[in-house]
């Protein structure tokens, strides 16, 4: 149950962060709001809202901002309540939080290593797509002995020699690669662009000419040979929608029925039927049917190959593909929009973030020290002129930002070291990294927001466990009492045992009804009426509620009998043979739902008390700035 409640709070927990200063109870310049004595800056709120909006993937409006603001204020109240109980002062809390900060700092510390050339090179790769195959020999480069590494390297060189002597790469991949997929695809990875493969693999693939095989390439997975099959201009991204009929693996009968149905739907669209109603009625992708089948923007390598190929072959906005078969079923794909690679300045921040993830520390160490030395104005003193002959160990060794720096620890190490230059360089590297880390919050606002976000998320989890989740789970008498007081909320829906025939026109419905009454089965009716490309008849048999079968909702009081109904362009003949009444469920049958509702009731009551304890004041002027920035 705990994980269920966490899911309900995901968008707030993941996105909430703030700048806190105590002692003020009214918003000041730059403050978005004050909750209790906690002040939240406008940039912090904007960051939190935009991160939440990326999760929901909605185009925001003022109402959405205001609704999020209400949730955000409630979040802050809960965090304040947790802090008042000392949750964030325990040793366990502080240990976990420090471990998180250590991990959080790593990509930001790498930011100063990036050179403009790395960014522009990555952008150039984004302009291209490479189709490549590979052969992988697995080994952990960080743990393997030099002898084992050399053995793998030489084996790949031997395989490459076989290619040079005329053997096909497909044959070599199937018989040598330790990538399990090679048995099926002969190592073919399809087309990919920048940041879609591990970094060393990507560089080698883009730098190898078409038709050639690279030298062995090391990655965290092992060593690769890469065969470059083709290069072409990047095709950008497409925005598409789809209508899907699901087919279970191995179900040949279902696959044939779905094929007939998808062809019928395609013909209906070709004859002028609207896309959205058909998606709503027939698509079996629950994730997209509620939004007319629309999918997020995607580029090459993001979808299964058959779907991707069909989508990128569509040329005109609104064009609909022929039926496409994938491992998931049959699809019709509609092109909504397409776009190329954005200008460099627009995608530069994204490239910087991705580069921070892919560059290895060892490869960038020297560059890091050079950049930090320049950044913090490091200047050697006279003591460094002849470091290895140094006699006076009490002198300052270096100035950093014009401040002379002396280290007794460094002095002690230098006195014992034979390679004093190496000891000094390691000390300087460590010292500059400490300085850089200490200033991350000032240099990178996002780092400060993320640090506070994690802190508050940890506090929220603990206080919610104490006040809501754990309390509800342990309070069996309270749960029983809540159930008794709300029994009417836990009834099953009334259902109707029925058979229903649906047709596009009344004449076909009359023919189908006559055949059914003469003993023809529903399956036989669908087969005979839906021959060819037209979808003329639907048959429903079984127990349905009005929610399950929307056409039933047009009858206020439904009982045993026959009904002629109409809805969404279909005519229905419905025969109800039994009414299955709604009934109260025992607590054991609906315990999870009751527990969830009881938790919500406890949370609501708790929030009511928190609103009195931690009043909130919103700076209306800053709120207007938020509207202008995010809308």
């Amino acid at each position: 149950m705990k994980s269920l409640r966490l899911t309900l709070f995901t968008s707030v927990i993941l996105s909430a962060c703030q700048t806190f200063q105590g002692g003020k109870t009214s918003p000041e310049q730059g403050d978005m709001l004050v909750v209790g004595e906690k002040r939240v800056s406008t940039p912090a709120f904007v960051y939190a809202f935009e991160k939440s909006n990326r999760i929901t993937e909605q185009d925001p409006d003022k109402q959405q901002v205001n609704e999020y603001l209400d949730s955000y204020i409630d979040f802050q109240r809960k965090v304040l309540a947790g802090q008042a109980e000392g949750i964030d002062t325990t040793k366990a809390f502080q240990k976990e939080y420090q471990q998180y900060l250590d991990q959080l700092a790593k990509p930001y510390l790498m930011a100063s290593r990036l050179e403009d050339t790395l960014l522009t090179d990555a952008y150039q790769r984004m302009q291209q797509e490479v189709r490549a195959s590979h052969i992988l020999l697995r080994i952990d480069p960080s743990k393997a002995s030099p002898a084992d590494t050399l053995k793998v390297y030489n084996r790949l060189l031997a395989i490459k020699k076989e290619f040079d002597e005329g053997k096909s790469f497909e044959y070599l991949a199937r018989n040598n690669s330790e990538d399990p997929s090679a048995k099926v695809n002969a190592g073919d990875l399809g087309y990919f662009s920048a940041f879609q493969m591990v970094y060393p693999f990507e560089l080698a693939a883009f730098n190898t000419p078409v038709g050639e095989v690279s030298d062995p390439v090391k990655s965290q997975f092992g060593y690769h040979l890469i065969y470059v099959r083709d290069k072409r201009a990047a095709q950008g991204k497409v925005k598409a929608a789809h209508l899907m009929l699901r087919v279970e693996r191995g179900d040949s009968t279902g696959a044939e029925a779905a094929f007939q149905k998808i062809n019928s739907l395609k013909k209906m669209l070709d004859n002028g039927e609207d896309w959205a109603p058909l998606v709503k009625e027939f698509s079996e992708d629950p994730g997209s049917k509620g939004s007319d089948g629309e999918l997020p923007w995607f580029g090459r390598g993001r979808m299964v190959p058959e779907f991707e190929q069909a989508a990128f072959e569509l040329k005109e906005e609104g064009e609909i593909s022929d039926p496409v078969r994938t491992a998931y079923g049959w699809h019709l794909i509609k092109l909504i929009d397409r776009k190329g690679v954005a200008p460099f300045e627009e995608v530069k921040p994204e490239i910087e973030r991705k580069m921070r993830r892919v560059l290895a520390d060892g490869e960038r160490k020297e560059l890091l020290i050079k950049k930090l030395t320049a950044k913090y104005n490091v200047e050697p003193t006279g003591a460094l002129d002849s470091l290895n002959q140094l006699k006076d160990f009490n002198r300052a060794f270096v100035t950093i930002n014009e401040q002379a720096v002396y280290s007794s620890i460094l002095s002690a190490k230098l006195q014992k070291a034979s390679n004093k230059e190496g000891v000094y360089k390691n000390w300087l590297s460590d010292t500059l990294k400490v300085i850089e880390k200490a200033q991350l919050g000032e240099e990178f606002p996002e780092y400060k927001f993320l640090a506070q976000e994690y802190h508050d998320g940890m506090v929220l989890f603990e206080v919610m466990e104490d006040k809501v989740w754990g309390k509800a789970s342990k309070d069996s008498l309270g749960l029983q009492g809540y159930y008794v007081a709300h029994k009417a909320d836990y009834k099953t829906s009334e259902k109707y045992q029925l058979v229903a025939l649906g047709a596009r026109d009344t004449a076909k419905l009359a023919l189908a009804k006559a055949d059914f009454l003469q003993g023809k089965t529903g399956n036989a009716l669908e087969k005979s009426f839906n021959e060819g490309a037209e979808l003329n008849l639907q048959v429903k048999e079984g127990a349905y509620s009005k929610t399950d079968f929307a056409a039933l909702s047009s009858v206020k009081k439904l009982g045993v009998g026959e009904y002629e109904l109409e809805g969404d362009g279909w005519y229905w003949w419905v025969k109800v043979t039994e009414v299955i009444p709604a009934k109260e469920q025992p607590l054991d049958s609906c315990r999870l739902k009751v527990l969830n509702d009881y938790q919500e009731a406890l949370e609501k009551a708790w929030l009511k008390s928190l609103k009195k304890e931690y009043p909130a004041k919103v700076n209306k002027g800053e709120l207007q700035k938020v509207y202008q920035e995010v809308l």
Side-chain angles (χ1 to χ4, degrees):
M1 201 66 212
K2 189 185 302 179
S3 60
L4 172 62
R5 297 301 299 145
L6 275 172
T7 299
L8 299 177
F9 282 87
T10 296
S11 64
V12 176
I13 291 176
L14 289 180
S15 62
C17 58
Q18 70 286 320
T19 305
F20 168 66
Q21 298 176 14
K24 301 289 185 179
T25 58
S26 297
E28 295 185 349
Q29 183 68 29
D31 291 342
M32 169 67 193
L33 68 134
V34 174
V35 184
E37 293 188 353
K38 179 180 285 189
R39 296 164 54 200
V40 179
S41 71
T42 301
F45 179 79
V46 169
Y47 170 85
F49 174 77
E50 289 184 336
K51 189 169 185 179
S52 172
N53 195 58
R54 287 198 297 271
I55 295 171
T56 59
E57 295 184 346
Q58 297 177 355
D59 292 329
D61 53 28
K62 283 189 177 182
Q63 180 181 348
Q64 187 180 347
V65 174
N66 293 336
E67 289 174 354
Y68 181 79
L69 176 59
D70 291 339
S71 298
Y72 186 83
I73 290 171
D74 286 343
F75 171 84
Q76 300 295 350
R77 288 174 170 138
K78 293 172 189 174
V79 172
L80 284 168
Q83 289 178 295
E85 294 186 3
I87 286 174
D88 59 350
T89 63
T90 66
K91 289 184 178 179
F93 183 100
Q94 293 178 354
K95 180 180 179 181
E96 179 182 342
Y97 184 50
Q98 186 58 52
Q99 288 174 340
Y100 171 77
L101 291 180
D102 291 343
Q103 292 298 316
L104 177 64
K106 289 181 179 179
Y108 293 92
L109 291 170
M110 290 177 66
S112 59
R113 307 176 201 184
L114 300 179
E115 294 180 322
D116 289 341
T117 53
L118 294 173
L119 302 181
T120 54
D121 286 350
Y123 183 72
Q124 290 303 314
R125 293 194 298 276
M126 291 171 65
Q127 309 299 310
Q128 272 194 318
E129 292 175 356
V130 174
R131 184 184 176 191
S133 300
H134 81 133
I135 295 170
L136 168 67
L137 296 185
R138 291 188 178 276
I139 190 172
D140 186 341
S142 66
K143 298 179 181 179
S145 68
D148 289 339
T149 301
L150 182 61
K151 182 179 178 181
V152 168
Y153 193 91
N154 286 336
R155 184 180 166 198
L156 283 175
L157 289 179
I159 294 171
K160 182 180 180 183
K161 184 178 179 182
E162 290 187 69
F163 173 81
D164 293 338
E165 292 172 349
K167 287 190 178 179
S168 73
F169 197 86
E170 291 84 352
Y171 170 83
L172 294 170
R174 286 197 174 99
N175 287 277
N176 293 281
S177 183
E178 294 172 0
D179 179 349
S181 67
K183 301 296 182 185
V184 178
N185 62 17
D188 191 350
L189 301 171
Y191 283 95
F192 56 88
S193 190
F195 301 113
Q196 290 182 306
M197 297 291 173
V198 292
Y199 193 62
F201 190 101
E202 174 189 316
L203 290 181
F206 276 88
N207 290 330
T208 300
V210 173
E212 295 187 15
V213 174
S214 70
D215 288 332
V217 178
K218 181 176 73 173
S219 78
Q220 63 261 46
F221 303 108
Y223 282 83
H224 313 254
L225 287 180
I226 305 172
Y227 173 44
V228 176
R229 296 177 170 276
D230 188 26
K231 293 182 181 180
R232 67 185 183 193
Q235 297 187 334
K237 295 183 177 181
V238 297
K239 178 77 171 173
H242 78 141
L243 186 161
M244 182 181 81
L245 300 182
R246 192 175 297 278
V247 175
E248 298 298 331
R249 191 180 300 274
D251 183 5
S252 57
T253 303
E256 178 60 27
F259 177 69
Q260 295 295 332
K261 192 171 184 178
I262 203 79
N263 275 295
S264 298
L265 293 169
K266 178 61 165 68
K267 185 170 183 181
M268 292 164 64
L269 290 165
D270 290 343
N271 290 335
E273 291 275 356
D274 288 338
W275 171 265
L278 291 182
V279 171
K280 181 178 179 181
E281 183 171 353
F282 294 106
S283 183
E284 295 173 354
D285 176 11
S288 67
K289 69 180 298 181
S291 56
D292 298 339
E294 284 195 18
L295 301 168
W297 285 94
F298 61 90
R300 286 288 187 175
R302 297 300 184 186
M303 295 291 184
V304 292
E306 304 89 347
F307 190 99
E308 174 188 294
Q309 186 65 27
F312 275 90
E313 285 178 353
L314 298 173
K315 302 301 181 185
E316 303 293 332
E317 292 181 14
E319 184 180 353
I320 299 171
S321 71
D322 289 331
V324 177
R325 182 73 160 94
T326 72
Y328 303 101
W330 284 98
H331 311 256
L332 295 176
I333 305 170
K334 178 181 178 181
L335 179 64
I336 297 173
D337 198 3
R338 64 193 315 147
K339 61 184 179 183
V341 179
F344 176 70
E345 289 302 324
E346 185 177 326
V347 296
K348 183 179 178 181
E350 177 187 353
I351 298 175
E352 288 176 329
R353 288 193 298 272
K354 290 179 177 179
M355 290 297 293
R356 285 198 295 267
R357 293 200 303 267
V358 301
L359 285 176
D361 287 345
E363 298 171 335
R364 314 307 301 164
K365 185 174 182 179
E366 289 300 321
L367 176 60
L368 170 64
I369 300 305
K370 289 179 181 178
K371 291 178 75 68
L372 290 180
T373 296
K375 182 176 182 179
Y376 298 114
N377 193 23
V378 178
E379 294 289 345
T381 66
L384 293 182
D385 292 341
S386 55
L387 191 59
N388 287 324
Q389 287 79 42
L390 187 62
K391 303 293 185 183
D392 182 4
F393 292 97
N394 294 315
R395 297 174 61 184
F397 303 111
V398 71
T399 61
I400 300 177
N401 283 336
E402 301 182 350
Q403 298 293 315
V405 178
Y406 169 81
S407 168
S408 59
I409 295 176
L410 173 61
S411 178
K413 289 182 177 180
L414 286 172
Q415 292 182 57
K416 298 177 182 179
S418 57
N419 179 12
K420 291 181 173 58
E421 188 73 24
V423 170
Y424 163 73
K425 285 185 175 181
N426 287 335
W427 170 83
L428 179 61
S429 172
D430 293 341
T431 299
L432 293 179
K433 287 177 182 178
V434 169
I435 294 172
E436 185 187 20
K437 189 173 181 180
Q439 297 182 3
L440 285 180
E442 298 177 14
E443 190 172 356
F444 300 104
E446 185 182 34
Y447 170 84
K448 177 172 60 179
F449 295 155
L450 285 169
Q452 189 68 50
E453 167 187 320
Y454 191 80
H455 168 277
D456 290 353
M458 289 175 62
V459 172
L460 179 66
F461 180 86
E462 294 296 334
V463 76
M464 287 292 290
E465 174 66 21
D466 180 50
K467 299 295 185 182
V468 178
W469 303 325
K471 183 175 181 180
S473 299
K474 296 171 185 175
D475 184 11
S476 57
L477 290 178
L479 184 68
Q480 178 69 34
Y482 184 87
Y483 165 74
V484 170
H486 300 85
K487 272 188 176 182
D489 295 337
Y490 304 108
K491 287 184 176 181
T492 61
S493 299
E494 185 175 76
K495 290 193 173 185
Y496 311 93
Q497 192 69 35
L498 57 79
V499 60
L501 307 179
R504 287 294 192 182
D505 60 65
T506 54
K508 286 188 176 66
L509 180 60
L511 290 173
K513 176 182 174 183
D515 288 349
F516 178 79
L517 294 176
Q518 290 177 13
K520 207 166 188 178
T521 66
N523 286 338
L525 284 172
E526 283 190 317
K527 186 174 181 180
S528 63
F529 275 80
N530 293 332
E531 282 186 338
E534 291 290 345
L535 183 65
N536 296 311
L537 185 72
Q538 295 186 68
V539 179
K540 295 180 183 290
E541 295 181 89
Y544 290 82
S545 68
K546 289 186 176 181
T547 302
D548 300 331
F549 187 3
L552 300 179
S553 300
S554 62
V555 182
K556 189 173 183 180
K557 182 66 176 176
L558 201 62
V560 173
E562 296 184 16
Y563 300 87
E564 292 184 357
L565 309 175
E566 184 180 350
D568 294 329
W570 287 82
Y571 297 92
W572 292 93
W573 172 74
V574 180
K575 183 177 181 180
V576 178
T577 56
E578 181 185 357
V579 177
I580 305 170
K583 61 180 180 180
E584 290 181 354
Q585 300 180 79
L587 177 57
D588 285 344
S589 297
C590 55
R591 181 175 295 274
L592 286 178
K593 180 153 190 341
V594 176
L595 181 57
N596 184 62
D597 292 347
Y598 184 41
Q599 287 175 341
E600 289 186 0
L602 289 175
E603 183 181 358
K604 187 175 181 180
W606 179 45
L607 270 174
K608 186 175 180 181
S609 68
L610 292 181
K611 287 180 180 179
K612 296 178 181 178
E613 189 172 356
Y614 303 108
K617 296 181 180 179
V618 177
N619 186 329
K620 301 298 184 183
E622 293 296 315
L623 181 58
Q624 291 300 317
K625 293 181 182 178
V626 171
Y627 292 150
Q628 294 172 8
E629 185 166 348
V630 304
L631 301 183

